[in-house]
Structures are given as structure tokens and as C-alpha cells.
Amino acid sequence: PLSGEGTIASYTVIRVAPRAHAGDVPYAIAAVQLKEGVSLLGRVVGIPLDALAVGLPVRFRPLVTERQTSVGFGPV
């Protein structure tokens, strides 16, 4: 099992999004290195964009909508 805890290895801020997510901009996507060594891509939630940094500790947060569940990461 994975702990869901890790650190941001890289991130980007999306300012022009695909049509399905146009109302969400700006938002960040991060590559997160989990403590177990696995890397995952996910959307950053609950962290101000100006506070994002490589090495910032984060925790897995599932993002659930009516139609889908996706990977998210938020503050520890």
C-alpha cells in the first residue's frame, strides 16, 4: 500500500486549459514523488499557486466529481 505522502518534484500552472476545464484556470498540475519511490501526476488543490515549490510536502487527495474521480494532491 502507498502512504499517499510525498513531495512535489515538478509542477506547472495551467492558464489556458482545454474546453472542459476552461472554468478552472488557473490551476496547477504536479509530478509528485511519493515516499515509496513512485511518481504520480495530479492536480494541486488547497495550496495557493504562489506557494508552490519543488520539494513542498503534499498528500494524496482524490478529486471526485459527478462523472469521474482523478488524482489530486493537497497540503499535508
Side-chain angles (χ1 to χ4, degrees):
L2 298 174
S3 68
E5 294 184 5
T7 57
I8 292 178
S10 179
Y11 69 92
T12 189
V13 176
I14 307 298
R15 297 188 190 284
V16 178
R19 195 173 340 176
H21 299 282
D24 298 337
V25 293
Y27 62 89
I29 301 292
V32 174
Q33 179 83 36
L34 297 181
K35 287 182 177 180
E36 294 81 9
V38 177
S39 293
L40 295 175
L41 282 177
R43 187 163 171 175
V44 178
V45 294
I47 301 173
L49 296 178
D50 60 351
L52 291 174
V54 170
L56 183 71
V58 292
R59 182 170 182 75
F60 173 73
R61 302 274 188 247
L63 302 176
V64 181
T65 65
E66 292 177 17
R67 298 181 358 233
Q68 68 181 9
T69 300
S70 55
V71 176
F73 292 96
V76 175

